[in-house]
Amino acid sequence: MSKDIERLIKIQNVIDKSLYHLFIETDLESKYKWILFLNNPNLDYYLSTFNPAIMDSNVDSLDDLEEYLKKHSGFKNGMF
């Protein structure tokens, strides 16, 4: 498992899921992609075009993801 995938799993484990949804797709070896969304309990809104991705691994780095989540209180109880 690559260091980046380990890091991504660590982020997934401490993200505040009441605020954010981090979609991850990986082969658990070297390939991965992720997309960060605002979490919304209203499924119709969550799945609509009114809830676009906040960040995407095609554009943003893991450093960018961590920085964003730290800046916007995205980690549970200040973890990470």
Side-chain angles (χ1 to χ4, degrees), residues 15-22 36-41 46 51 54 68-69 72-76:
I15 196 168
D16 186 343
K17 292 173 181 66
S18 69
L19 298 175
Y20 297 102
H21 172 76
L22 181 61
L36 182 68
F37 294 94
L38 280 175
N39 194 3
N40 191 303
Y46 179 77
N51 190 29
I54 298 169
Y68 178 88
L69 291 169
H72 294 92
S73 304
F75 292 115
K76 292 183 274 190

Side-chain angles (χ1 to χ4, degrees), residues 31-52:
K31 296 179 186 175
Y32 67 90
K33 70 178 187 175
W34 55 265
I35 305 170
L36 182 68
F37 294 94
L38 280 175
N39 194 3
N40 191 303
N42 181 330
L43 190 59
D44 290 335
Y45 178 81
Y46 179 77
L47 296 174
S48 76
T49 58
F50 297 108
N51 190 29

Side-chain angles (χ1 to χ4, degrees), residues 25 73 77:
E25 184 177 303
S73 304
N77 302 323

